[in-house]
Amino acid sequence: MKNKFIYLSVLAFVFAGCEPEFENELSDSNYSAGDADFSSYVAIGNSLTAGFMDGTMSRVGQQYSFPNLLAQQFAVVGGGEFTQPPFDADVDNLGGLLFNGNVIQPTRLIIDAGDGGPENIAGTPTIDITNQFAMAYNNMGVPGAKSFHLLAEGYGNIAGVPLGQANPYFARTATSPTATVLGDAMSKNPTFFTNWIGNNDVLAFATSGGTGVNQEGNMNPATYGSNDITDPTVFAGVYSQIINTLTSNGAKGVVATIPDVTSIPFFTTVPYNPLSASVIGDGDAAVGQATIQQLNQQLYGPLKQALTAFGQGSRINLLNPNGNNPLLITDETLSNLAPQLTAALTMAGFEPQLAAFLGNAYGRARQATASDLVLLSTRAAIGAAPQGAPAPFNLFGITYPLQDQHILIPSETSVVATATASFNQSIRQIAASKNLAVADMNQILNQLVSGLRTEDGQIYTADYFSTSTISTVLFSLDGIHPNARGYAVIANEVLKVINDHYNAKLPLVSAGNYPGATVLPSNAN
């Protein structure tokens, strides 16, 4: 079964080539740095600081990083040069990365006007990380970095990249194999900084569908997996060390809180109930009325009957041929009824091997509810065939349960929320101890759920791309990172905090003058 993609008009993106403009004339002599000194501005963080969008770093995308937008405004009041890791070799703006000629990260996502999308732009990346620069830059945002990675020696050791022991982005620029991100940042002698780190300490767990481990109580981050949640005490200690170092020479700065993952399109775009007899709305997957009737007779009905006999009939309901129906998922918090189901199916005449397969497949199965968050990446899996599953039990989300990596269930969402709240409390407390400004990005992104009105009167949302919201969406096609407009909104929020906390008068930018997604007539070399 093929999923229904969102189709967008090329005309809706004619603004994509617009050049960014300042909201205020920069010749206004009333602008002031206030109590801040922007002569050496350094930004540390992860992909949100680097300018990551549409699933990768690219030459043009990097230009819209919020630190780069800030630096342009700081220049009005004496801000110094602001440098970013070089992406000149990304000539065709494909994005992606190579390691010795081998692709280690794909190209950026675009919309193909003919086929829909999103999809990776055709072509081969031209940025090879083995072409090293060994130089510190003002933008020290490292995609993929967690808080403790900023202090880790060897995180930029090129030899560790194939082994998963080093970061390919930092390996391009690290000043030595043992350099740290924070150490290279401090070599720029910052007088002002922004620090937006910590998202990946919890986000990686969420975007993996909760396949990682909550490491609360484990004080050794060297033992953490890539999708694990950082222990809150470890996070607070690392964050305090970062801030102490950044302010050691008297620098002022802004720190940012961590957004609640439920506010971003990666978790809010794919509905929990997309299955219907025919396409009803965006995101629906047409199953067909005859198929629904057949499923009720041959799978959902017998399965519900068996589960009811075990006192768990509420896990499964018959499909409604006249409306939307929930996905079939695995919930690891449920008691495993695999032995009971296997025995019941065997007694019903199923061949023992098939009965065992079905018992294991449906032992913790249930239908999704509105409390479950279906990952954006799961959209492509719905209706696909899981490896080794026999027909007709080989349709993910329909006749075979989606797995842990596809769904964030309520217990996992709760763990994420608890960690996020703890991290944000530490961020605020540590910032207050140094009298630093705080940009509450958690609050700002939560406002996008209902609509955020900017200074120009436009209302922006956290919706994913559709024909009706195309000009008001602030997220890129990966559903996690902002687009250029989104980074402009972030820059504005930071500018407003600086103006308020440091008695500065800095010009804002107009988000409406920044581009959205890339639409191509066709996706071909």
Side-chain angles (χ1 to χ4, degrees), residues 128-409:
D128 197 312
I129 67 168
T130 58
N131 297 324
Q132 296 174 276
F133 295 88
M135 183 181 301
Y137 295 88
N138 294 81
N139 190 338
M140 293 298 297
V142 180
K146 297 187 179 186
S147 58
F148 51 85
H149 288 145
L150 302 188
L151 308 177
E153 293 186 358
Y155 192 55
N157 185 351
I158 193 88
V161 172
L163 305 175
Q165 299 171 349
N167 184 292
Y169 288 101
F170 186 43
R172 289 187 71 217
T173 64
T175 54
S176 76
T178 59
T180 67
V181 176
L182 184 59
D184 279 1
M186 289 303 293
S187 72
K188 303 296 289 184
N189 299 313
T191 58
F192 194 87
F193 65 86
T194 54
N195 175 22
W196 195 6
I197 194 67
N199 299 72
N200 290 331
D201 291 71
V202 64
L203 180 64
F205 176 88
T207 55
S208 73
T211 60
V213 175
N214 182 11
Q215 292 288 359
E216 184 174 6
N218 182 354
M219 306 301 289
N220 182 9
T223 65
Y224 293 1
S226 59
N227 295 330
D228 293 354
I229 297 179
T230 303
D231 171 83
T233 302
V234 169
F235 178 84
V238 167
Y239 201 91
S240 182
Q241 185 175 347
I242 292 170
I243 294 301
N244 287 339
T245 302
L246 287 169
T247 59
S248 59
N249 295 324
K252 296 179 172 64
V254 177
V255 301
T257 58
I258 299 168
D260 177 358
V261 298
T262 60
S263 66
I264 65 175
F266 190 83
F267 300 97
T268 61
T269 299
V270 181
Y272 76 94
N273 59 344
L275 308 180
S276 60
S278 59
V279 173
I280 298 174
D282 285 342
D284 288 349
V287 178
Q289 187 136 359
T291 301
I292 285 181
Q293 293 174 351
Q294 185 179 24
L295 287 171
N296 283 337
Q297 293 171 0
Q298 300 180 6
L299 177 61
Y300 284 81
L303 189 57
K304 181 173 180 61
Q305 185 178 11
L307 290 170
T308 300
F310 304 135
Q312 297 291 321
S314 61
R315 294 187 185 185
I316 299 291
N317 290 307
L318 297 180
L319 300 179
N320 179 3
N322 299 314
N324 286 84
N325 295 281
L327 294 164
L328 190 63
I329 70 171
T330 296
D331 184 339
E332 60 269 25
T333 67
L334 296 177
S335 57
N336 190 355
L337 299 177
Q340 294 93 320
L341 286 173
T342 299
L345 292 169
T346 302
M347 291 179 62
F350 281 78
E351 189 271 331
Q353 186 174 358
L354 179 59
F357 168 82
L358 295 176
N360 288 323
Y362 302 123
R364 286 194 172 101
R366 66 170 173 85
Q367 287 170 313
T369 72
S371 298
D372 297 303
L373 301 180
V374 185
L375 310 189
L376 182 63
S377 53
T378 299
R379 181 172 58 181
I382 298 172
Q387 186 175 4
F393 309 104
N394 62 342
L395 299 176
F396 261 136
I398 303 172
T399 61
Y400 191 89
L402 291 166
Q403 300 298 294
D404 191 15
Q405 70 269 23
H406 298 127
I407 303 283
L408 204 64
I409 61 177

Side-chain angles (χ1 to χ4, degrees), residues 19-45:
E19 292 296 322
E21 298 177 4
F22 298 114
E23 184 171 288
N24 310 93
E25 289 296 329
L26 300 187
S27 60
D28 191 334
S29 60
N30 292 324
Y31 290 133
S32 166
D35 302 326
D37 177 0
F38 302 113
S39 57
S40 180
Y41 163 49
V42 170
I44 65 169

